[in-house]
Amino acid sequence: MTLLINRRLYLPYLSLESILNTPLDKLAIGSIIEIHGPVVIIECNPLPPIRQALCTCFDHTTYLFEVHQHLDEHRIRAITLHGTAGLSRGMIIYDTGAPLQVPVSEQCLGRLLNIFGEPLDGKPALPQEQFRNIHAKPLPLPEAIGMSGILETGIKVIDLLCPFVKGGKTGLFGGAGVGKTVLVMEFIHAVSAIHKGVSVFAGVGERIREAHELWQEMQQAGVMDDTLMVFGQMDESPGVRFRIALSALTYAEYLRDTLHKEVLFVVDNVFRFVQAGSEISSLLGRMPATVGYQPTLTTEVAELEDRILSTRDGAITSVQAVYVPADDMTDPAVSAILSHLDTTVILSRDQASKGIYPAVDPLRSSSKMMDKHTLGERHVAVAEAVREHLARYEELEDIIAMLGIAELSEADRKIVMRARKLQRYLTQPFAVLAQHTKQTGVSVPLAQTLTDCEGFLSGRYDDIPEDQCYMRGSMEASL
């Protein structure tokens, strides 16, 4: 009976009465004949389609599987979406009649869920009234719209040098300890405060400690009410880590189509999604491809990325944290992800060590929108001039360290002085850290950032000490 009631989650098109009235033997399609870690081989008749959700019951617990391979006329390989403890050969397998589906509701905001849409926050389950398939197809081309300008974040260095594309995809590259999570939280705060939008956070292979800390920090920052968090934790099956991003994206699509708002879709970490796919590919016996990655790498990344689309009623803007193995940007996984991104934000440990937060590397970060037709001549001219000053300062740093700044020409000294002030100006206190730093968070409109940078470049602020530029909002507000 428990098994049949649980099947209601995955058969939304059938009434509970019809499920309960169906004899159990009519639902059985086969049995387990082999178990290899998270992979089970099932002998069944008829063969269920690829990606179908199957289930079995043991000790009042429902185990779910996803079909990945047809071996012959009677055998399939499936990946378990739970732990395999308790499973044994001969267990009866039942067909749920559909791929994995999650319950959706406007009440999902403010919640912490797992891959099945079940609560992890101790609160009541979501209403079991409406369901969505996590393997939904991308929007038809006539319904999708292209990029539609900048999504302002109020973060000076981002809006100036690597602006977010509304309805686009941004990659956030950075290691541990450089402020990646804080930056993500500030993005969520900005979407909620500036654009009155909502956010969906997909934790792919998150450590339990990190997930708990992030959840607590989001609540303390006051942004949880407009946020949904979906976690597939590091200790879970590779099938969960492989599908958790699709489950979270299904919620983002629902919020886009239902609330008609700006939806910020945050994935942390896309590289763990690739790793889970590689693990599953090896378990299924596929021959590895370049550098040991799965041969289906490009297809799997595209399946996720191509569903991040906007319509005339709402937009999904994605921010994706990406780990770079050995800092090699030519790694096949990184290259596959990069090909889908509109903006690349590089977080630098060098910047963080100098106390420059957010620790964005202004010379390596970029955006495909950085052209005069999209941003306007003024924005592009100011951004290029700021980059030129910072690049020249970086070139001269070794000379300054060895000989001193007095040995530079007057023109170079002026450039260095202005570049140092620009470097400090592009820092700012964040609203989500206000209770820790005791500094009120600030959000600076793009127009004001451009005005301030023009002032630095023209020499208007040459007489101001550097410390007056550090961790401030706009220059007008700080003077």
Side-chain angles (χ1 to χ4, degrees):
M1 184 63 69
T2 302
L3 175 62
L4 295 180
I5 292 174
N6 286 347
R7 284 187 77 247
R8 178 70 181 99
L9 291 174
Y10 311 103
L11 286 171
Y13 44 82
L14 295 180
S15 67
L16 181 59
E17 182 181 359
S18 66
I19 293 176
L20 293 176
N21 289 336
T22 304
L24 198 58
D25 59 346
K26 297 288 187 184
L27 301 171
I29 63 165
S31 61
I32 297 175
I33 59 173
E34 292 182 35
I35 301 173
H36 303 278
V39 174
V40 295
I41 297 179
I42 301 169
E43 189 171 44
C44 51
N45 186 24
L47 289 181
I50 298 294
R51 295 186 176 176
Q52 189 88 326
L54 310 178
C55 60
T56 191
C57 191
F58 173 77
D59 195 21
H60 304 293
T61 300
T62 301
Y63 289 80
L64 281 166
F65 309 90
E66 186 177 69
V67 179
H68 277 259
Q69 268 185 350
H70 288 176
L71 297 177
D72 52 39
E73 299 91 2
H74 301 293
R75 294 185 305 148
I76 62 169
R77 271 200 185 109
I79 299 291
T80 178
L81 299 179
H82 295 80
T84 53
L87 294 181
S88 62
R89 294 172 63 185
M91 293 183 73
I92 303 300
I93 298 297
Y94 305 93
D95 188 358
T96 67
L100 183 63
Q101 303 192 29
V102 292
V104 292
S105 165
E106 292 184 20
Q107 299 174 27
C108 64
L109 290 175
R111 300 301 303 274
L112 185 67
L113 306 175
N114 67 8
I115 186 175
F116 309 111
E118 298 168 344
L120 296 175
D121 51 12
K123 297 179 181 178
L126 294 178
Q128 310 292 313
E129 298 170 357
Q130 188 177 354
F131 294 79
R132 281 201 173 202
N133 177 4
I134 70 166
H135 296 293
K137 294 180 180 179
L139 284 172
L141 285 178
E143 295 180 23
I145 61 172
M147 298 177 293
S148 54
I150 292 179
L151 182 74
E152 285 195 36
T153 63
I155 301 173
K156 294 178 287 189
V157 65
I158 297 289
D159 290 343
L160 175 67
L161 300 177
C162 42
F164 281 14
V165 183
K166 186 181 291 186
K169 309 175 188 75
T170 297
L172 194 62
F173 298 81
V178 294
K180 180 177 58 183
T181 300
V182 172
L183 199 53
V184 163
M185 289 169 59
E186 190 69 11
F187 293 152
I188 294 174
H189 181 271
V191 166
S192 176
I194 299 174
H195 303 282
K196 308 302 178 188
V198 296
S199 303
V200 176
F201 182 93
V204 182
E206 286 282 341
R207 298 175 183 87
I208 294 175
R209 171 187 57 79
E210 291 177 345
H212 184 266
E213 288 176 358
L214 180 61
W215 179 43
Q216 295 295 331
E217 288 172 359
M218 298 279 278
Q219 290 177 313
Q220 293 167 5
V223 297
M224 194 63 204
D225 289 343
D226 293 317
T227 305
L228 165 66
M229 305 184 79
V230 186
F231 281 111
Q233 297 170 13
M234 189 173 281
D235 65 331
E236 295 191 79
S237 159
V240 171
R241 289 181 272 120
F242 188 49
R243 296 304 189 197
I244 190 67
L246 294 182
S247 185
L249 181 54
T250 302
Y251 280 103
E253 291 171 333
Y254 170 77
L255 293 172
R256 174 197 66 195
D257 300 336
T258 304
L259 300 185
H260 308 303
K261 285 191 174 184
E262 292 284 351
V263 180
L264 181 68
F265 177 55
V266 181
V267 186
D268 185 11
N269 184 307
V270 183
F271 186 76
R272 292 197 194 113
F273 161 76
V274 172
Q275 281 183 312
S278 179
E279 191 173 338
I280 287 175
S281 183
S282 298
L283 291 168
L284 295 176
R286 296 193 188 116
M287 184 70 70
T290 312
V291 199
Y293 286 109
Q294 61 271 40
T296 52
L297 170 64
T298 306
T299 303
E300 290 167 2
V301 172
E303 181 183 8
L304 172 67
E305 301 287 359
D306 286 352
R307 281 176 58 184
I308 303 173
L309 295 170
S310 302
T311 67
R312 293 175 180 83
D313 296 323
I316 298 180
T317 302
S318 176
V319 176
Q320 305 169 17
V322 184
Y323 167 72
V324 183
D327 294 328
D328 179 13
M329 294 294 287
T330 64
D331 184 87
V334 177
S335 299
I337 297 166
L338 270 172
S339 65
H340 293 274
L341 300 179
D342 304 299
T343 300
T344 303
V345 179
I346 309 291
L347 295 182
S348 162
R349 199 169 298 281
D350 253 3
Q351 294 285 89
S353 67
K354 296 174 185 175
I356 306 296
Y357 288 103
V360 176
D361 188 325
L363 301 180
R364 296 172 65 201
S365 303
S366 62
S367 174
K368 291 180 180 177
M369 284 192 68
M370 192 59 71
D371 65 77
K372 296 177 182 178
H373 301 290
T374 307
L375 302 181
E377 291 190 8
R378 181 193 180 204
H379 187 160
V380 173
V382 171
E384 286 179 351
V386 169
R387 274 205 175 94
E388 286 172 6
H389 276 63
L390 294 173
R392 183 60 179 159
Y393 173 44
E394 189 175 277
E395 290 173 3
L396 296 171
E397 275 187 315
D398 287 342
I399 296 174
I400 295 171
M402 290 186 293
L403 304 178
I405 195 169
E407 296 300 317
L408 300 179
S409 66
E410 185 179 344
D412 280 344
R413 282 201 301 272
K414 190 175 292 186
I415 288 175
V416 167
M417 177 187 65
R418 291 174 181 174
R420 287 175 61 87
K421 290 178 181 177
L422 280 166
Q423 189 180 57
R424 283 152 180 75
Y425 168 74
L426 293 177
T427 64
Q428 70 188 84
F430 284 165
V432 295
L433 291 181
Q435 61 179 344
H436 300 294
T437 61
K438 308 305 178 186
Q439 281 186 292
T440 304
V442 293
S443 176
V444 183
L446 174 59
Q448 185 60 53
T449 300
L450 294 176
T451 300
D452 289 342
C453 288
E454 286 173 337
F456 282 110
L457 296 169
S458 65
R460 191 188 316 158
Y461 302 118
D462 282 358
D463 297 329
I464 294 176
E466 288 179 4
D467 59 357
Q468 285 195 26
C469 307
Y470 181 68
M471 282 294 172
R472 298 286 188 270
S474 67
M475 291 305 295
E476 291 180 3
S478 61
L479 295 179

